[in-house]
Amino acid sequence: MSIEQAPAPEQSVDERQLREMVRDFMEGEVAPQIRELEELKRLPAELFRQFGELGLLGVTIPEQYGGSAMSHRELAWVVEEIARVCPGVALSVGATNSLPIGHIYKFGTEEQRMKYLPALCSGEKVGSWGLTEPNAGCDSFATETKAEKVNGGWLLNGRKSLITHASFCDTAVVMAKTTPEGGHNGVSAFIVERGMTGFESGKTEDKLGMCASDTGDLVFKDCLVPEENLLGEVHQGGKGALAVLDGGRIGIASLSVGLAQGALDHSLRYAHDRKQFGKPIAQFQAIQFKLADMQTHIHAARLMVMNAADVKEKEGRAGVSAAMAKLFASEICVKAAEEAIQIHGGYGYTKDFLVEKFWRDSKLLTIGEGTSEVQRLIIAKQILNDTR
Amino acid sequence: MSLKIVCLLKQTLPTEAKISILDTGKPGDARSKPIINPYDEFGIEEAVKLKEAGKASEVTLLSVGTDKWLETIRRGLAMGADQAVLIDVGSEEIDQSQVAEALANQLQKMEYDLVLCGKLAVDTGLGEVPGRVAARLGIPLLHVAAKVDVEGNKVTVERVADGNIVHVEAECPVIVSADKSLNKPRFASLPNIMKAKKKPIDTVALADVLSGAAQTRRTVKYELPPERGPVRMLEGENDAAARKLVDVLVNEEKIVH
């Protein structure tokens, strides 16, 4: 696929080179197995290791922990280029970077960083991150999973749901209530390892899209987590999780831009090739207008993502910038995926073309890491507070 | 012993580029991003593997090109080569014979035990350089290698011939040209792309390694091959379609008499 994006934000040589590397890898190694990955319903361990070897799992993490020591902007490009070819794979890679790795790096002790990050960054071990529960979705801190202080550590009981990599993760960062009082102040984060008694994977979800990435439950039944696996300060895990989600939102926003760009790539190719009424459909204004709108939306969303990544780099948190980027990018991405099917007509509805997959994948993006509605709440709260 | 390896690197257009004759009169595709000649890339991959296996101590890339090649050369460094030398031709136009002379003269100024390169470059498809460089240096050429083994000072390669595999060996210094089945070049990792920026690329002026001898042959012009006509589909059941096909071949296209 050699279609270049027409206008693109200004990029450093580093950014361009890493984009090319990711694109070459995705087109050479991943594109041929997209349908197989969808069938498998998870990322194979081998592919995980390949992403690790390329330095794509701990993009912003310093080298001493096995990371690539790059910026959040560069991470955004990585996720975008992966999503452009396979959004499901981008979900796995993006989540790994932002959530378990991001959380352990941001809040871990030196010991915890050294113990967990190199194996997660290399893809030798697979990480997951557990905040959501059956009764705590948007209201994430209605957390029912409990961690009770016992001799030598904490006893975890409860269930986390809709967790990326639940079925095969080796290392999970899990939020659990450590005091019965409500709110963010009663939650702590723990690093749970596969093999700890009382920790197991629950059911795996059968999803509409993002099938290359597995989603399921993590179950804790009297799971004893040693004291040294408490991540960050006790009772402060709620605030920590919010800070981690902030990075996750930029991840979903860049994934959205990539998905929309992939939908446009497929549409451009089809519009040039497909002939009706004696000429390529690209010559019809009805098609041209769709393509122009897709390109414009993508460009705007990409600029927002890059801005949020820059804010995150400078200030450590992207807050409303990340929320706005996530809201806008995910909504234009669903629209772009829909238009891609429309441009493909009847064939777009078949599995002979990939646009149906892009459309199925796209819908997650207005939901995961905070729904569009939650993003609007965050944005509104900020501007109302600023003007009170 | 641990070998010093020099890999020859030519920049080419990607194989999927849409070639047209540009305003300069030369073939090209302004929209395609240049790449390392894929056969040279096999050579670089093999060199890096030998270094990783402890059989080589350093890998140097050597190119005859312009400063427009620097980004491509960096990509070779990101694969794991240690340094590079670019013989800068500027706006000079030189042919394969002169390229080989410049390469050989530069190689003589460098320490090397093994020279690895592609069996040909995908743009010209000529494959003259390996043989010409070997002849100028007076060293053996192990051509079109599908497998390379190094034991101490001895290099053994396997070449796939018509229905058989030929094992050929020679003592260093030696030049080995890579066939496409030699290996699968790696994707450079993010940290290695960053490290490559700090690796040295020395530039050598063409005049320092090429005598003033004039070219003995000239490229007259470039033209595109004739375009293929549209595909015609013959309708009808097998029997009728076959009759129609014969009619087309004999009477219309006059391919069969």
Side-chain angles (χ1 to χ4, degrees):
Chain A
M1 179 73 219
S2 61
I3 295 175
E4 253 308 332
Q5 294 147 14
E10 203 179 318
Q11 293 160 63
S12 67
V13 178
D14 288 7
E15 289 174 64
R16 209 151 32 77
Q17 286 181 341
L18 81 88
R19 282 181 63 201
E20 280 163 14
M21 180 274 274
V22 177
R23 193 180 304 178
D24 286 350
F25 177 75
M26 288 303 294
E27 275 161 16
E29 300 287 306
V30 180
Q33 49 171 330
I34 287 177
R35 291 295 187 188
E36 283 163 47
L37 293 176
E38 290 237 295
E39 291 285 315
L40 186 66
K41 296 200 189 300
R42 54 167 276 192
L43 225 59
E46 175 54 26
L47 198 51
F48 241 102
R49 272 192 296 274
Q50 279 179 296
F51 278 112
E53 277 169 22
L54 292 174
L56 300 179
L57 297 180
V59 174
T60 59
I61 305 300
E63 280 179 31
Q64 69 260 38
Y65 308 118
S68 298
M70 303 198 77
S71 67
H72 285 90
R73 199 182 161 99
E74 286 158 329
L75 172 59
W77 279 121
V78 166
V79 174
E80 179 183 330
E81 288 297 342
I82 298 174
R84 190 174 176 176
V85 172
C86 184
V89 171
L91 183 67
S92 272
V93 174
T96 300
N97 269 286
S98 309
L99 303 178
I101 290 181
H103 200 146
I104 294 174
Y105 174 64
K106 200 168 168 62
F107 294 99
T109 61
E110 186 58 20
E111 241 176 7
Q112 288 170 332
R113 288 171 167 186
M114 289 309 289
K115 182 171 178 191
Y116 294 104
L117 291 178
L120 289 172
C121 290
S122 70
E124 182 196 328
K125 293 205 166 156
V126 175
S128 68
W129 193 76
L131 176 62
T132 302
E133 296 186 2
N135 294 319
C138 291
D139 181 10
S140 289
F141 295 99
T143 298
E144 288 168 2
T145 297
K146 268 191 270 191
E148 191 189 337
K149 186 81 189 82
V150 293
N151 218 350
W154 299 83
L155 209 56
L156 262 63
N157 275 292
R159 174 183 291 269
K160 293 290 171 182
S161 57
L162 300 171
I163 307 303
T164 300
H165 305 153
S167 73
F168 66 110
C169 64
D170 302 292
T171 308
V173 172
V174 178
M175 269 43 75
K177 203 147 237 181
T178 37
T179 60
E181 293 91 65
H184 296 182
N185 289 333
V187 173
S188 306
F190 298 90
I191 304 172
V192 184
E193 291 170 60
R194 178 73 64 184
M196 284 180 175
T197 319
F199 167 42
E200 51 191 58
S201 306
K203 71 160 178 174
T204 298
E205 303 293 346
D206 193 4
K207 308 196 295 293
L208 169 69
M210 295 291 187
C211 297
S213 178
D214 88 307
T215 306
D217 286 4
L218 300 175
V219 184
F220 307 93
K221 286 181 193 150
D222 286 337
C223 171
L224 179 66
V225 179
E227 186 64 42
E228 67 260 28
N229 282 27
L230 174 68
L231 182 58
E233 280 178 51
V234 71
H235 307 329
Q236 299 300 309
K239 280 187 215 149
L242 284 184
V244 171
L245 269 182
D246 182 76
R249 280 187 189 127
I250 301 178
I252 294 293
S254 37
L255 206 171
S256 304
V257 174
L259 193 157
Q261 181 68 52
L264 176 58
D265 291 344
H266 286 290
S267 301
L268 285 167
R269 204 162 21 198
Y270 190 79
H272 282 302
D273 289 349
R274 171 75 170 171
K275 288 200 178 81
Q276 288 288 276
F277 306 104
K279 51 186 177 181
I281 62 169
Q283 291 181 18
F284 295 107
Q285 283 192 338
I287 300 295
Q288 289 174 0
F289 286 4
K290 288 185 196 302
L291 296 170
D293 283 348
M294 287 162 87
Q295 172 64 49
T296 306
H297 290 159
I298 290 166
H299 187 51
R302 188 180 283 124
L303 290 170
M304 291 178 83
V305 170
M306 293 300 151
N307 171 254
D310 287 344
V311 173
K312 174 103 182 156
E313 194 69 32
K314 238 180 271 168
E315 296 170 20
R317 282 197 71 165
V320 173
S321 303
M324 291 191 301
K326 198 268 180 189
L327 169 63
F328 184 73
S330 63
E331 304 239 319
I332 67 108
C333 148
V334 173
K335 177 80 179 149
E338 189 193 325
E339 291 290 47
I341 295 188
Q342 198 68 20
I343 290 168
H344 281 68
Y347 288 115
Y349 202 67
T350 71
K351 296 216 168 185
D352 290 345
F353 289 84
L354 279 172
V355 285
E356 62 82 26
K357 169 197 149 60
F358 276 67
W359 180 71
R360 284 185 290 109
D361 289 351
S362 72
K363 196 57 203 138
L364 173 75
L365 300 168
T366 61
I367 300 169
E369 316 283 49
T371 59
S372 289
E373 291 69 25
V374 163
Q375 307 307 325
R376 288 187 174 94
L377 290 178
I378 295 170
I379 299 160
K381 186 176 165 193
Q382 178 78 41
I383 51 176
L384 289 171
N385 276 347
D386 286 351
T387 50
R388 187 156 49 195
Chain B
M1 79 170 266
S2 199
L3 305 180
K4 287 188 164 41
I5 303 179
V6 175
C7 295
L8 306 185
L9 182 160
K10 183 180 185 186
Q11 172 177 298
T12 64
L13 285 175
T15 40
E16 70 273 16
K18 283 186 185 147
I19 306 291
S20 60
I21 305 298
L22 306 177
D23 296 342
T24 56
K26 292 203 185 128
D29 173 9
R31 296 210 300 181
S32 276
K33 194 170 166 57
I35 57 166
I36 301 173
N37 168 36
Y39 288 100
D40 290 341
E41 202 177 16
F42 299 131
I44 298 168
E45 173 66 27
E46 199 66 17
V48 173
K49 273 165 61 182
L50 286 168
K51 190 180 171 194
E52 285 168 348
K55 293 183 174 184
S57 58
E58 66 171 35
V59 177
T60 306
L61 306 177
L62 176 58
S63 294
V64 179
T66 70
D67 57 7
K68 293 203 177 89
W69 289 29
L70 287 171
E71 212 176 293
T72 306
I73 292 171
R74 291 262 177 232
R75 260 180 268 151
L77 294 172
M79 288 175 69
D82 301 295
Q83 61 219 339
V85 177
L86 168 66
I87 300 168
D88 193 346
V89 302
S91 54
E92 291 271 328
E93 302 221 350
I94 60 174
D95 71 6
Q96 283 74 19
S97 159
Q98 292 165 304
V99 167
E101 183 184 343
L103 288 169
N105 288 339
Q106 176 60 32
L107 279 163
Q108 273 169 336
K109 296 180 185 176
M110 300 164 66
E111 283 183 62
Y112 68 92
D113 304 292
L114 170 61
V115 178
L116 274 161
C117 60
K119 68 172 183 182
L120 54 80
V122 293
D123 51 2
T124 60
L126 282 172
E128 286 186 40
V129 166
R132 286 181 179 273
V133 170
R136 283 187 175 273
L137 293 172
I139 62 173
L141 166 62
L142 303 180
H143 210 11
V144 197
K147 189 169 185 285
V148 176
D149 274 314
V150 172
E151 278 311 322
N153 199 32
K154 193 173 74 184
V155 178
T156 310
V157 311
E158 289 181 19
R159 174 166 49 89
V160 179
D162 185 15
N164 61 87
I165 295 170
V166 191
H167 297 245
V168 196
E169 63 173 41
E171 303 271 310
C172 290
V174 58
I175 178 165
V176 173
S177 78
D179 200 359
K180 86 172 133 211
S181 48
L182 183 57
N183 54 43
K184 186 165 182 262
R186 69 196 61 199
F187 293 90
S189 70
L190 278 197
N192 286 342
I193 291 174
M194 294 305 122
K195 278 182 204 144
K197 291 175 191 308
K198 300 194 185 94
K199 294 179 178 175
I201 303 180
D202 285 341
T203 305
V204 173
L206 182 66
D208 293 345
V209 286
L210 189 65
S211 66
Q215 280 185 21
T216 52
R217 55 182 184 186
R218 292 182 321 279
T219 300
V220 180
K221 68 166 183 171
Y222 297 93
E223 63 178 13
L224 294 177
E227 265 189 56
R228 260 188 303 184
V231 174
R232 257 177 86 180
M233 297 298 289
L234 300 177
E235 306 285 334
E237 292 297 314
N238 288 348
D239 192 51
R243 279 171 202 284
K244 179 74 186 152
L245 178 62
V246 171
D247 180 54
V248 169
L249 292 175
V250 175
N251 298 321
E252 286 182 40
E253 302 291 337
K254 304 196 190 323
I255 293 168
V256 179
H257 301 282

